[in-house]
Amino acid sequence: MPNNKDLPVSPFSPLTIGPLTLRNRFIKSATNEGSAPGGVPSKRLVQFHESMAAGGTGMTTLAYCAVSPDGRTLPNQIVLDRDTQPHLRVLTDAVHRQGAAASAQITHGGCFTFLKPQQAPRPLSSSSGFNKVGLMSGMLRKQAMSEADIQQIADDFVRGARLAREAGFDAVELHMGHGYLLSQFVSPLYNKRRDQYGGNLENRLRFPSLVLRRVLDAVGKDLAVVCKYSITEGARGGHTAEDGAAIAQILEREGAHLLVLSAGMNVESITTMFGSSFPKENRVSSNNPIMAAAMFIQSLTAPKVDFRELYLLEHARKVRAAVKMPLAYLGGAKSLQSIEQVLGEGFDAVTMGRVLIAEPDYVNKLEAGTSRDSICTSCNRCVAMMYTPGGTSCVLGQPGDAQLNAQPAALI
């Protein structure tokens, strides 16, 4: 008799993460949708995530829900508060009608922000000093968080997680990567502290671990609590994939239900995150001056990188070897062959962004046997589409509906 553990895992089989069971192994990754004008979730945002659910995805992730107004990086981002609850409930209800689960990515930008803080004289971070993002925002200095700040922002994460539960979400994703606040504690590039929150890796994870434990205590019996982090930062002086494996061990010990394995940093190593360079079209198609400036700087500093499927697999394997907990692979899976390879190597789920923006019904096509390879060309132009009136969309299809994007999700 064959050992069931040796049989290949079907991408269409259920997956249990914490208290949540997904209908299959496909997760739509968090990708800023540009569909919350003034911070208000729009009807187009609901349409976007409902299309992911209708297209067969097991769980769709709403990107960047700030846990406080100072946690935003840009003005048109959602803040988890009472005002957004009715709109978010419309979104989760729509996703549930299609049989999928909904996850809220809850986060704080720290010094990675283009907004002047309301509660502090300078943007908060793990350490004080020069703020690289300030070259674009004009805020050239950042402020080290005090113990009181640490406890307050941990409280903010707990409140955000509870509000996500009230809004009908099935999971929350703590963003610990890409250069946002929790990542600024994890990263040796940002964290220069000499107290209990700095120095060795265990200390640098102390604040993110505190947030994780408190969120688990608050909602972990009802919601899946997911952590997304950068396995490798892809920048000189940043942490490596070996560090990424050790980070996973700490998060496993603290009780995370699932890890989403990303990589790279928004400022230092954007090509590590996306697995390929940004084209010239991205720099000229955005009317947003911050986006245009960022893309211009990236064009001068980022190396030319050509896309290849499963571009993070070598790094992710080190994490898989280090922990037993559920892991979601993220990074260039865009064909049935690569999806089956990832699951065959012991990863529990496949997380996709650009592929599902290009083809929201890709999972249904795979299950029906009518498609194997995605139409996505990994051109990265969907990133700049976030700043268009209709929000994030694929350049191979129709742009988002600008009229829907201007209408609040709920009629209040």
Side-chain angles (χ1 to χ4, degrees):
M1 294 288 293
N3 186 338
N4 286 338
K5 292 183 178 179
D6 296 330
L7 296 176
V9 174
S10 167
F12 307 104
S13 62
L15 172 65
T16 298
I17 47 175
L20 175 65
T21 298
L22 304 181
R23 64 183 176 186
N24 60 39
R25 307 292 175 119
F26 294 95
I27 298 173
K28 164 63 178 66
S29 67
T31 52
N32 277 318
E33 297 95 353
S35 294
V40 179
S42 70
K43 291 185 182 299
R44 199 267 166 171
L45 184 66
V46 174
Q47 180 191 65
F48 181 90
H49 285 281
E50 186 172 13
S51 73
M52 300 297 165
T57 302
M59 181 164 71
T60 183
T61 309
L62 175 62
Y64 211 100
C65 299
V67 297
S68 69
D70 281 359
R72 296 172 298 161
T73 61
L74 294 166
N76 291 331
Q77 286 177 332
I78 295 167
V79 178
L80 282 165
D81 58 22
R82 292 293 173 192
D83 291 338
T84 59
Q85 291 298 93
H87 308 286
L88 295 175
R89 173 60 75 169
V90 174
L91 187 152
T92 58
D93 285 348
V95 169
H96 292 153
R97 281 197 300 271
Q98 302 297 336
S103 176
Q105 183 187 74
I106 61 175
T107 189
H108 191 295
C111 67
F112 188 74
T113 181
F114 299 95
L115 303 173
K116 291 191 180 298
Q118 301 172 16
Q119 302 298 321
R122 292 184 294 275
L124 296 177
S125 187
S126 55
S127 300
S128 60
F130 175 65
N131 182 23
K132 287 176 279 191
V133 182
L135 291 172
M136 291 180 281
S137 68
M139 293 178 287
L140 297 176
R141 305 288 294 177
K142 56 187 177 180
Q143 179 175 326
M145 286 170 56
S146 66
E147 180 66 35
D149 293 327
I150 285 169
Q151 296 302 326
Q152 179 59 59
I153 291 179
D155 287 344
D156 291 341
F157 271 94
V158 169
R159 184 177 63 254
R162 286 176 170 151
L163 288 167
R165 179 176 60 189
E166 291 180 28
F169 285 96
D170 308 281
V172 289
E173 179 180 275
L174 307 179
H175 202 334
M176 298 183 177
H178 299 175
Y180 299 111
L181 180 62
L182 297 182
S183 171
Q184 290 160 29
F185 275 79
V186 177
S187 172
L189 290 170
Y190 285 80
N191 190 338
K192 308 298 182 184
R193 299 175 75 107
R194 297 183 179 181
D195 62 1
Q196 62 179 330
Y197 298 103
N200 62 40
L201 186 61
E202 191 85 26
N203 281 356
R204 298 200 309 273
L205 264 291
R206 191 178 300 275
F207 173 50
S209 295
L210 170 67
V211 170
L212 171 58
R213 286 195 304 273
R214 292 195 54 190
V215 169
L216 280 165
D217 288 344
V219 303
K221 292 181 180 179
D222 304 313
L223 306 185
V225 179
V226 180
C227 296
K228 181 177 185 176
Y229 79 103
S230 298
I231 309 171
T232 176
E233 291 179 343
R236 181 174 300 186
H239 71 247
T240 64
E242 288 72 23
D243 297 319
I247 291 168
Q249 290 174 328
I250 294 172
L251 298 176
E252 179 179 45
R253 182 188 71 202
E254 297 293 351
H257 295 145
L258 174 74
L259 302 183
V260 174
L261 306 179
S262 189
M265 305 286 272
N266 282 313
V267 175
E268 294 83 2
S269 51
I270 196 80
T271 54
T272 300
M273 189 189 310
F274 287 93
S276 54
S277 301
F278 278 53
K280 180 181 179 182
E281 290 85 351
N282 262 7
R283 301 195 296 277
V284 298
S285 62
S286 174
N287 293 323
N288 183 286
I290 293 172
M291 182 66 174
M295 288 298 177
F296 178 71
I297 292 172
Q298 288 292 345
S299 74
L300 298 178
T301 60
K304 177 70 167 65
V305 176
D306 293 324
F307 179 85
R308 61 184 176 87
E309 280 201 58
L310 303 183
Y311 59 87
L312 291 179
L313 185 56
E314 294 90 340
H315 298 313
R317 284 171 176 151
K318 295 177 182 177
V319 179
R320 182 68 286 172
V323 297
K324 296 180 180 179
M325 68 177 298
L327 300 177
Y329 176 81
L330 172 62
K334 51 183 288 187
S335 66
L336 182 59
Q337 180 179 350
S338 61
I339 291 164
E340 290 177 339
Q341 179 181 345
V342 164
L343 295 177
E345 293 201 23
F347 296 91
D348 302 273
V350 178
T351 308
M352 298 184 291
R354 290 167 289 186
V355 166
L356 294 176
I357 292 172
E359 230 171 338
D361 60 348
Y362 181 56
V363 176
N364 280 346
K365 290 176 179 177
L366 288 177
E367 189 167 24
T370 58
S371 176
R372 292 181 61 88
D373 299 329
S374 168
I375 65 171
C376 176
T377 63
S378 307
C379 69
N380 295 329
R381 291 176 65 187
C382 55
V383 178
M385 295 297 287
M386 165 187 166
Y387 297 98
T388 60
T392 300
S393 63
C394 178
V395 296
L396 298 178
Q398 296 297 314
D401 188 323
Q403 288 188 332
L404 276 184
N405 214 27
Q407 300 174 29
L411 296 176
I412 302 175

